[in-house]
Amino acid sequence: QKAQAPGYYLGIDPTGIALGAGVYRFEPQQRAVFRERLVEDFSGQSFASAIKPLKRAQFDLMGRELKKIPQGYDPEHPLADYLRHNGLYASKEFDFPRSFGTARFARDVVRCLEPCAPLMAWLGQHLRMRDS
């Protein structure tokens, strides 16, 4: 089974827009790789750096489904909470921008998604599946 690639999201409803980026649900092997990368020193530190812009821009980091840290992982690890995720994506709702319905709307969406770029780069780099 092929792993889901990280992607961007734009949702529109009568109340405004929702923007997001990441992986909605990891495939089992992809989830194992994600966890392995989180607890490695270098990739774990780069993950922490990648989510800082999202927190500053008040994006929600979603995808946590497990109630407990998976067995075999240190519950005191600085990124332990993310080990509970079965997917990882950033999400934020916005009122309709003034540019909605104009040619500038796409540019404004891209600008609002800029804080997601470091997470998308991290996911793209670290979730590549290793040859079995």
Side-chain angles (χ1 to χ4, degrees), residues 50-117:
I51 62 174
K52 281 182 185 176
L54 294 166
K55 290 180 177 183
R56 278 194 302 268
Q58 298 179 333
F59 274 80
D60 294 318
L61 286 168
M62 317 262 305
R64 185 178 71 203
E65 295 182 5
L66 303 178
K67 291 182 181 182
K68 296 181 180 180
I69 305 300
Q71 282 189 328
Y73 292 98
D74 178 6
E76 300 301 318
H77 189 279
L79 299 171
D81 193 47
Y82 295 100
L83 296 168
R84 297 167 45 195
H85 284 244
N86 280 329
L88 183 71
Y89 58 99
S91 179
K92 185 174 179 180
E93 294 182 2
F94 296 84
D95 291 333
F96 286 107
R98 285 191 211 152
S99 64
F100 186 74
T102 72
R104 287 191 355 253
F105 178 63
R107 184 190 69 216
D108 290 347
V109 166
V110 169
R111 184 178 41 75
C112 289
L113 285 168
E114 285 175 358
C116 299

